[in-house]
Amino acid sequence: MTNDRGVVWLDTPAFPEAARTALADTQLRANLKRATSTIRDKRLTVAAELDDWEQLRESAAAIKQHTARHLDRYLVQLEEAVTAAGGTVHWAADAAEANRIVTELVQATGESEVVKVKSMATQEIGLNEHLAEHGITAYETDLAELIVQLGDDRPSHILVPAIHKNRTEIRDLFRAEMGHWGQPAPEDLTDEPRELAEAARRHLRQKFLTAKVAVSGANFACADTGTVLVVESEGNGRMCLTLPETLITVMGIEKVLPTWSDLEVFLQLLPRSSTGERMNPYTSAWTGVTEGDGPSAFHLVLLDNGRTDTLADPVGRQTLGCIRCSACLNVCPVFERTGGHAYGSVYPGPIGAVLTPQLVGVEQAASLPFASTLCGACYDACPVKINIPEVLAHLRAKVVEAKDGHTVEGLAMKAAGKVLDSPRLLGAAQKAAALGGRALARDGKIGRLPGPLHGWTDTRDTPAPPAESFRTWWRKNREGGSS
Amino acid sequence: MRIALFITCFNDTMFPGTGRAVVEVLERLGHTVDFPQEQTCCGQMHFNTGYRPDAVPLVARFARTFADYDAIVTPSASCAGMVKENHPVLAAEYAPAALQRQVGELVPRVHEFTEFLTDVLGVTDVGARFPHTVAYHPTCHSLRGLRLGERPYQLLRAVKDLELVEVPAADSCCGFGGTFAVKNADTSSAMLADKTAGVLATGAEVLCAADNSCLMHIGGGLSRQGSAVRTMHLAEILAATEGGAQ
């Protein structure tokens, strides 16, 4: 389903229920733990190799903040530079507009098939589904995206969309589904990574050599030169970016950087933070069109889709600094247990928990800002220093505000606030808690309880509150002492 | 130096022994501790659950109660973090200039207990003896919030006859997270299960930390599993002495 703006957003079920399904899947949890801990360790090693890592993070945050403050200027500059280089720029206020623009551009070529290099923005707007409604088939060419597409599945990770699948599951999928989309997988395909990659390679090559139109995302775009960049690991992206006649790039407006030289910072941070590599294998950059080399038509679709609203929030706007490296996912203890599907969005994990509610509206994604313990691991890992816990807490206040306090929780919080603002009432509550707690307790411990606290008491004992609070002890033993 | 103890509402109600231990250690080191009775709560639960306006009276109360002290010491890393990081945020958003100023002046004088010992008093050996195997859990707020780093370890290493052991994946969250444990009970329980397994793997007799809330969570899981591992606040270990009650 989509929200009013057309953002792909699977509103139901809310995070706690969606997480429960994932937690019960032991294979999923094992796959996730192995994958995230491997990337996590690699990231720490390669980040530690740079003695100016923290300065790089500072620089990245500063560049992103500066760009956000002057986004209007840089976007216009980007449009001028792209146009001067022979490209065409289109502005899309929301998903519906972006989908319409891309569909019309493809229709104008007369083609009914497009190849795609992995793009979060086109997933955000549900482009593949929209194209399909208009008789155009989009072939995902990123290996993990291909796995997701063949499985009629959804991505569960920003960088490793099929992280929830292991190689045996992938082998079965290739054998069952590849034939329906193009070249079938060999009958005797095993789950050896090399064989799996070879099957995907043969399957995809057929698409690359026939497709006349490609759709891509963008990691960065430089306002001064009009250059657009995609970084990737497989080379499939480069095939999409160079072989077809028409290239259509859909890019969130926050991806613009002021200058080509700003890439120095981000191209050091991104691969290290995302895959734990010093450098990603393929970096493709193009500036408009060049006669006799690569696509002869280039269209850049600049997507807003809630981003300028996000920009208007002084705390929330830092979220737009995200370079989609997924470091926050790989260090998040919640993501590690629940996987990405529980977040109901193409943006999972800590960054998804802050980005999605801002793109679709906090009322519609009310459970996401609470899908975190605020442990802070994501903030430490973020290469652009997005203070995700700060934004989470900020959005929680917005969720509460949207509900206007008329909830059981809201009333309880009000009551607690009254008690906690009075030492006398707090003392009385402590006595009541001690009496009540001791009545419930057995051997000094409170066990399973029914009602709203069952979630806590199902897996933990709670000590009974002692008969004497600290303030009572102090009054008896130290009152009248020094001050 | 006028030192005030900020016990926190949670410790006051559930773990008064931690407050007594803090008083004991500081008095042993020759300091006098005051406990202003007007204190209640730092407002962390309200702030973190999204009820910001309801936390503002608590910010004002805190600033009023502790205004006259040179140092405000608290045995809770998360409450210390709440005061240091978020009281200024709340004051800037909701409070008049006078309170904003008061909060700003107060914040540098608020100290988490172990940081107060090592950085303000310059002590790592507090004269404690604790002949047990102890594991330390760096809670998220002490680790990534206050950046206590080596401080708790320095204090524990100076305790006589204490054997310190390391919990595997020590820096990963135990899954408590305040109301997270209730709102996302299943995910919280899954995180807790990994944490208790790690604690049990150390063979420690005692697990300690600078936050009783996380200890209540982990200790509650250990207790439900029938484990004999005890949880104690770090201050209680530092308060233990030769021949003292353990």
Side-chain angles (χ1 to χ4, degrees):
Chain A
M1 66 177 273
T2 56
N3 83 326
D4 303 342
R5 278 199 186 104
V7 179
V8 175
W9 163 237
L10 298 121
D11 194 20
T12 51
F15 185 84
E17 289 82 60
R20 195 171 303 138
T21 314
L23 288 163
D25 186 342
T26 49
Q27 180 67 59
L28 170 76
R29 282 178 66 187
N31 295 353
L32 273 172
K33 190 169 187 168
R34 184 165 348 102
T36 55
S37 57
T38 306
I39 306 174
R40 199 157 59 208
D41 293 346
K42 277 174 70 183
R43 181 184 65 87
L44 286 174
T45 308
V46 294
E49 288 173 358
L50 294 183
D51 54 13
D52 60 350
W53 182 253
E54 288 307 315
Q55 288 96 313
L56 278 171
R57 290 178 74 210
E58 293 285 352
S59 301
I63 293 168
K64 284 289 187 178
Q65 278 162 23
H66 167 85
T67 314
R69 268 202 303 279
H70 306 286
L71 195 61
D72 51 348
R73 171 151 63 87
Y74 288 121
L75 285 171
V76 169
Q77 196 188 350
L78 175 69
E79 179 182 33
E80 286 165 2
V82 170
T83 309
T88 310
V89 174
H90 310 260
W91 298 77
D94 57 18
E97 194 172 5
N99 282 330
R100 183 176 52 73
I101 293 167
V102 177
T103 306
E104 285 173 7
L105 288 171
V106 179
Q107 284 168 338
T109 65
E111 295 294 316
S112 60
E113 293 190 344
V114 300
V115 286
K116 282 186 71 201
V117 48
K118 185 188 167 204
S119 150
M120 302 298 296
T122 60
Q123 285 169 12
E124 175 188 320
I125 62 178
L127 178 66
N128 290 8
E129 293 76 9
H130 191 270
L131 288 173
E133 284 167 21
H134 292 80
I136 299 163
T137 311
Y139 295 99
E140 293 291 348
T141 67
D142 174 271
L143 178 54
E145 287 294 339
L146 172 68
I147 294 165
V148 168
Q149 187 173 45
L150 291 175
D152 196 19
D153 197 359
R154 288 187 295 118
S156 69
H157 190 283
I158 288 174
L159 193 88
V160 200
I163 197 169
H164 54 291
K165 295 242 185 269
N166 66 24
R167 60 194 203 190
T168 312
E169 293 169 308
I170 294 165
R171 190 261 328 260
D172 295 344
L173 193 59
F174 277 13
R175 284 213 283 216
E177 299 295 333
M178 255 179 185
H180 302 306
W181 287 81
Q183 176 151 330
E187 292 275 324
D188 56 349
L189 183 69
T190 72
D191 64 0
E192 279 303 307
R194 204 183 51 78
E195 280 195 36
L196 293 174
E198 184 60 22
R201 191 167 171 267
R202 289 181 182 283
H203 176 81
L204 289 171
R205 180 127 317 201
Q206 190 192 41
K207 303 290 171 209
F208 292 134
L209 295 175
T210 53
K212 300 272 194 294
V213 183
V215 175
S216 89
N219 288 96
F220 308 99
C222 307
D224 60 345
T225 58
T227 308
V228 183
L229 253 90
V230 165
V231 300
E232 40 129 9
S233 297
E234 296 164 3
N236 293 338
R238 176 162 294 178
M239 298 278 217
C240 290
L241 298 164
T242 52
L243 288 174
E245 291 165 7
T246 301
L247 172 60
I248 306 166
T249 299
V250 182
M251 177 189 113
I253 51 172
E254 80 282 14
K255 299 274 180 169
V256 67
L257 293 174
T259 68
W260 169 262
S261 59
D262 293 322
L263 290 169
E264 176 211 343
V265 171
F266 293 97
L267 292 183
Q268 291 188 75
L269 287 171
L270 179 56
R272 284 182 168 84
S273 301
S274 55
T275 51
E277 293 167 301
R278 295 177 188 93
M279 194 176 176
N280 49 286
Y282 296 88
T283 301
S284 305
W286 65 100
T287 309
V289 291
T290 307
E291 206 178 319
D293 184 15
S296 52
F298 169 55
H299 297 273
L300 179 63
V301 182
L302 295 173
L303 176 72
D304 184 329
N305 210 31
R307 285 161 175 80
T308 47
D309 290 348
T310 303
L311 200 60
D313 180 339
V315 178
R317 70 170 61 131
Q318 58 186 308
T319 315
L320 296 182
C322 175
I323 55 173
R324 312 279 190 261
C325 72
S326 71
C328 63
L329 277 63
N330 299 327
V331 298
C332 178
V334 173
F335 178 89
E336 185 181 320
R337 271 81 182 185
T338 64
H341 289 160
Y343 294 81
S345 153
V346 294
Y347 303 111
I351 191 66
V354 291
L355 183 59
T356 307
Q358 295 188 88
L359 293 184
V360 304
V362 285
E363 307 84 359
Q364 293 200 48
S367 66
L368 287 185
F370 296 92
S372 164
T373 63
L374 304 180
C375 84
C378 50
Y379 183 24
D380 272 12
C382 179
V384 287
K385 297 192 85 165
I386 300 169
N387 189 336
I388 295 176
E390 182 189 25
V391 184
L392 285 165
H394 172 72
L395 294 177
R396 289 176 183 190
K398 290 193 164 230
V399 171
V400 168
E401 212 176 291
K403 289 183 180 165
D404 209 16
H406 298 310
T407 56
V408 175
E409 182 187 89
L411 296 172
M413 285 287 172
K414 278 258 177 299
K418 285 225 163 23
V419 171
L420 290 170
D421 194 24
S422 158
R424 187 179 57 79
L425 290 178
L426 177 58
Q430 285 169 337
K431 286 205 178 73
L435 281 173
R438 296 172 99 71
L440 285 172
R442 202 173 281 181
D443 298 330
K445 288 183 280 198
I446 301 169
R448 281 194 172 81
L449 292 178
L453 289 176
H454 85 88
W456 168 272
T457 60
D458 276 359
T459 53
R460 313 157 185 88
D461 290 331
T462 312
E468 189 179 68
S469 68
F470 179 80
R471 65 180 67 231
T472 308
W473 174 84
W474 179 273
R475 214 173 288 133
K476 283 185 189 163
N477 295 277
R478 293 288 203 282
E479 191 77 296
S482 67
S483 67
Chain B
M1 179 164 49
R2 280 169 56 83
I3 303 173
L5 168 64
F6 172 49
I7 181 68
T8 82
C9 62
F10 178 71
N11 286 329
D12 185 8
T13 310
M14 296 296 292
F15 297 96
T18 297
R20 294 199 295 271
V22 171
V23 173
E24 201 168 318
V25 172
L26 292 178
E27 287 181 348
R28 192 195 302 153
L29 294 170
H31 298 277
T32 306
V33 185
D34 201 0
F35 181 78
Q37 295 270 339
E38 288 299 304
Q39 66 174 277
T40 55
C41 167
C42 65
Q44 185 180 185
M45 177 180 73
H46 285 98
F47 184 88
N48 281 352
T49 317
Y51 294 84
R52 291 191 177 200
D54 296 305
V56 179
L58 303 175
V59 173
R61 166 173 291 279
F62 189 94
R64 202 164 61 232
T65 304
F66 293 105
D68 294 335
Y69 292 91
D70 302 313
I72 300 101
V73 180
T74 183
S76 163
S78 74
C79 299
M82 171 68 198
V83 173
K84 284 172 164 297
E85 265 185 47
N86 299 325
H87 278 201
V89 171
L90 285 168
E93 202 172 340
Y94 299 99
L99 181 57
Q100 288 182 36
R101 210 165 35 245
Q102 208 175 7
V103 168
E105 287 165 7
L106 189 64
V107 158
R109 287 180 272 142
V110 174
H111 304 281
E112 184 278 330
F113 177 60
T114 59
E115 176 244 32
F116 181 70
L117 291 175
T118 57
D119 294 14
V120 181
L121 301 183
V123 185
T124 45
D125 187 347
V126 298
R129 176 177 180 265
F130 193 73
H132 298 284
T133 312
V134 174
Y136 170 71
H137 170 60
T139 64
C140 300
H141 285 99
S142 49
L143 185 72
R144 287 177 287 265
L146 298 180
R147 308 267 173 209
L148 291 186
E150 273 294 293
R151 295 174 181 86
Y153 295 100
Q154 289 168 354
L155 290 162
L156 285 167
R157 282 193 204 104
V159 174
K160 205 175 160 203
D161 299 332
L162 183 149
E163 192 197 334
L164 190 60
V165 291
E166 184 87 10
V167 183
D171 60 357
S172 72
C173 177
C174 72
F176 173 60
T179 46
F180 176 85
V182 178
K183 283 180 189 281
N184 287 283
D186 300 280
T187 309
S188 170
S189 295
M191 292 163 71
L192 173 63
D194 290 346
K195 186 56 76 179
T196 53
V199 173
L200 292 173
T202 65
E205 300 166 74
V206 174
L207 177 74
C208 75
D211 263 303
N212 274 325
S213 48
C214 309
L215 284 176
M216 185 175 83
H217 182 239
I218 304 170
L222 289 167
S223 166
R224 181 61 59 86
Q225 294 167 42
S227 158
V229 177
R230 278 192 294 162
T231 48
M232 288 172 80
H233 192 282
L234 183 54
E236 293 176 289
I237 290 175
L238 300 181
T241 50
E242 193 101 39
Q246 310 251 306

